[in-house]
Amino acid sequence: MVWGNPPPPLVSTLPRRTSTSSVGSLDSSQASSPRLTPLDSSAALILVHDEDQASPFHLDSDDDGDDDDDRTPQFDVRRASTPPLSPSLVLLYLLVPYLKLGAMFLPHTETPLKYGLPALFGFAILAAFARQILYMLSRYTRSAELEDVILDIMARGRGKEQRRSILRNIVRAGTGGLRVLLATVYLRESVQVLLPLLPHGTSLSLQLGLSAIFTLSITPLSFAQSLASKRIVYTTWLSVGTYIVWLACITYAYVHHIPLGNGGWLRMGTFWQGLVTIAFAFTSSSTLSLYTSLRGSHQPVTTAKPSKSRSFKLLSAVSVILAVLLTLPLVIFSANPNIPATLLSPRPPALPIIQILNTATLLFSIPNLIVTISPLPIPDRLRHATAFPLSKVLLLTLIAILSLVPSNIAAVLSDILLIAALTSTYFLPAFLHVIAHFFERPLTILTPHPGPQTRESRRGTDELLLRKERALQKKQFKKRIIWDFGVWLLLLGGGAGFIAAIGRVAGRW
């Protein structure tokens, strides 16, 4: 780019901040080198050189410089405490939520193939799309966690500390409550699945005993510090392994016309229908923390091009594809279910194995959820008085108590879980995208003028910058239409789902 006058020096771009601490760090460095603050009225509009890499705020920037851009110090400013994870572990944690309760209920939904197959592929695509939206919002706001993304979008700026505090508490309570409900339903179903195999299976004391045994068995695993702990890694791999063996047993039972029990499916709430269960199978409760962990696993910056295996978008797509392959047989089986096993006597030999594997898969998934829940607000004096993890003990106790509630209350909790999981996976990313790109001011790249400039040179610079900006906007226009169409589809589809849910509740609850 050649101008009539030498171009002003370009200062590194400043990402949007979510706390006043970043302002303090900026002010402390101004004495040694001139920096631009958002209040500098002498700044030009935008300056982007042709040889510079693509802006990380563009919707398609992942294709042009994903890994290089995410290693910048600006992204590390608000990096979460999640430890670095290798790409294989990130892929594992992206895949494992899809191979749990929703997938295990699929053989019992009795959904015709003409509805089941389109729903399976459709919700898989929507789940990947929603995950990609969160990923781009994280890069757009330079935030490492969902909490920071929401605060940066909905409560940015000075004088909004109270709103930020309220939103922070709501987000933490919502994410923590979702994971507690997931762990509660996993524990309850693990117990309920095994009860028919035991004598006096309807006994309340037997249910209490199994719940206590299962809770104590997963307690040491739940004391792990993070997802990088070997205990969590091994139990997560075991969960995937038991699911694959369970799927093989389900296939064997279907081929040999061995009926399956469906007691757990019948115990769920009003909203647990065929298509809704398929949508629930592709829900997940943690995305951005895994993206942060993948970025933290990078080696020191080099001139070599990073491996594609470290691309979060690629790992996300692979996890969804694997999930589809591992749930597709279940949708096919649900279209032509066998006779319920409760009508047969004696019990087929393959059924107990399936139930045991079902229990093991759900139990091995609980420590993963406990580790990712934010600590409870325990008083500092009590928390520092002992090294015992009081927060996790209280969480496990709460989960064990909730798993023992009566069946009618458990059905309501399962419906709340279903609504919360669908909202956080599909509806929330679309809502945040609309707020960020339709109602908030866009981010700008600011350039200071260290010395006086004539009016003619400044006008010429602004014209060139505006022309550059218009060219970039035109280039992104078509892709932006596609993304906005998908976002509004998720948003309106979620609204229609809420209306249908209200109608169902009014008619059956």
Side-chain angles (χ1 to χ4, degrees):
M1 180 181 301
V2 179
W3 291 351
N5 296 323
L10 179 64
V11 178
S12 60
T13 60
L14 295 177
R16 225 175 351 188
R17 305 289 182 178
T18 59
S19 63
T20 57
S21 60
S22 60
V23 178
S25 63
L26 178 64
D27 294 337
S28 63
S29 64
Q30 285 179 345
S32 58
S33 62
R35 296 276 184 174
L36 180 67
T37 65
L39 301 178
D40 188 0
S41 60
S42 64
L45 178 61
I46 294 177
L47 178 59
V48 181
H49 290 293
D50 291 332
E51 64 273 17
D52 289 342
Q53 68 177 23
S55 170
F57 309 126
H58 292 163
L59 290 177
D60 65 339
S61 59
D62 183 64
D63 299 331
D64 302 327
D66 176 359
D67 299 288
D68 291 336
D69 182 75
D70 291 338
R71 291 180 293 173
T72 59
Q74 296 155 340
F75 185 81
D76 294 336
V77 169
R78 289 179 292 174
R79 186 177 298 281
S81 59
T82 306
L85 296 175
S86 64
S88 60
L89 289 182
V90 172
L91 177 61
L92 171 67
Y93 289 125
L94 288 174
L95 172 65
V96 73
Y98 301 149
L99 309 181
K100 293 298 173 284
L101 190 66
M104 291 184 165
F105 279 159
L106 290 182
H108 311 299
T109 57
E110 300 184 10
T111 305
L113 282 181
K114 63 179 180 179
Y115 301 121
L117 289 181
L120 177 70
F121 295 117
F123 284 116
I125 294 174
L126 291 178
F129 181 78
R131 181 182 281 173
Q132 181 68 11
I133 293 174
L134 275 182
Y135 157 73
M136 292 191 302
L137 287 174
S138 175
R139 298 187 65 196
Y140 181 77
T141 60
R142 294 298 189 187
S143 301
E145 292 289 347
L146 178 63
E147 173 186 333
D148 296 328
V149 172
I150 294 177
L151 294 179
D152 199 42
I153 292 176
M154 306 187 69
R156 185 179 72 255
R158 300 177 180 176
K160 297 182 179 180
E161 288 77 11
Q162 183 177 3
R163 181 190 298 181
R164 293 174 63 84
S165 178
I166 295 174
L167 285 176
R168 182 180 293 109
N169 293 331
I170 292 176
V171 173
R172 290 181 179 178
T175 55
L178 173 60
R179 290 163 187 168
V180 167
L181 284 177
L182 274 173
T184 299
V185 176
Y186 287 174
L187 180 59
R188 181 180 179 86
E189 289 305 310
S190 300
V191 173
Q192 296 294 332
V193 165
L194 283 187
L195 286 179
L197 302 180
L198 303 175
H200 309 289
T202 58
S203 172
L204 180 60
S205 59
L206 183 59
Q207 181 179 354
L208 291 173
L210 277 180
S211 299
I213 292 173
F214 288 166
T215 303
L216 291 176
S217 64
I218 63 175
T219 296
L221 301 175
S222 303
F223 286 169
Q225 297 297 321
S226 66
L227 295 178
S229 172
K230 292 183 177 180
R231 286 177 288 178
I232 300 298
V233 173
Y234 292 156
T235 54
T236 305
W237 277 115
L238 281 175
S239 176
V240 175
T242 53
Y243 174 86
I244 294 175
V245 178
W246 173 85
L247 178 61
C249 293
I250 290 289
T251 304
Y252 175 86
Y254 183 81
V255 171
H256 293 81
H257 302 285
I258 299 176
L260 306 174
N262 57 359
W265 169 250
L266 297 177
R267 285 189 298 269
M268 303 307 288
T270 304
F271 297 154
W272 290 80
Q273 305 298 324
L275 298 181
V276 180
T277 304
I278 296 176
F280 177 79
F282 287 97
T283 59
S284 60
S285 59
S286 60
T287 294
L288 295 186
S289 59
L290 297 177
Y291 170 53
T292 307
S293 299
L294 181 64
R295 300 275 70 79
S297 67
H298 279 304
Q299 300 298 322
V301 178
T302 63
T303 57
K305 185 176 180 61
S307 173
K308 279 295 183 181
S309 64
R310 296 186 179 274
S311 170
F312 183 81
K313 185 168 67 172
L314 177 62
L315 295 177
S316 177
V318 171
S319 67
V320 173
I321 292 174
L322 291 176
V324 170
L325 294 178
L326 293 174
T327 54
L328 179 60
L330 303 176
V331 175
I332 297 175
F333 300 159
S334 69
N336 187 22
N338 293 321
I339 303 173
T342 54
L343 302 181
L344 299 181
S345 182
R347 190 185 306 274
L351 186 57
I353 298 176
I354 294 176
Q355 291 174 301
I356 293 172
L357 291 171
N358 194 329
T359 296
T361 302
L362 295 178
L363 273 182
F364 288 144
S365 305
I366 296 178
N368 186 339
L369 296 171
I370 299 297
V371 168
T372 56
I373 297 176
S374 300
L376 296 176
I378 300 176
D380 292 340
R381 180 181 301 177
L382 183 61
R383 182 159 47 89
H384 294 300
T386 177
F388 194 70
L390 294 177
S391 176
K392 293 182 179 180
V393 171
L394 293 176
L395 285 173
L396 287 169
T397 303
L398 175 63
I399 291 170
I401 293 175
L402 291 177
S403 67
L404 297 173
V405 297
S407 299
N408 55 345
I409 300 179
V412 175
L413 291 179
S414 68
D415 281 339
I416 296 175
L417 168 64
L418 181 64
I419 295 174
L422 294 178
T423 301
S424 62
T425 300
Y426 302 104
F427 184 81
L428 181 61
F431 177 77
L432 293 177
H433 177 92
V434 169
I435 295 296
H437 294 292
F438 286 87
F439 297 99
E440 294 291 336
R441 295 179 60 184
L443 296 175
T444 56
I445 304 175
L446 302 177
T447 306
H449 291 289
Q453 288 186 336
T454 63
R455 182 177 302 177
E456 290 76 9
S457 62
R458 178 172 297 183
R459 183 184 300 114
T461 301
D462 291 344
E463 289 177 356
L464 288 174
L465 294 176
L466 290 174
R467 191 183 310 135
K468 184 81 171 183
E469 176 67 14
R470 283 192 291 266
L472 291 175
Q473 291 179 358
K474 184 177 180 180
K475 180 181 178 181
Q476 302 296 330
F477 182 68
K478 293 182 179 180
K479 292 184 178 180
R480 181 64 182 269
I481 290 178
I482 296 176
W483 281 104
D484 288 347
F485 176 78
V487 165
W488 284 106
L489 181 64
L490 278 175
L491 200 61
L492 297 179
F498 278 120
I499 295 176
I502 294 174
R504 184 175 291 275
V505 169
R508 297 187 60 176
W509 257 9

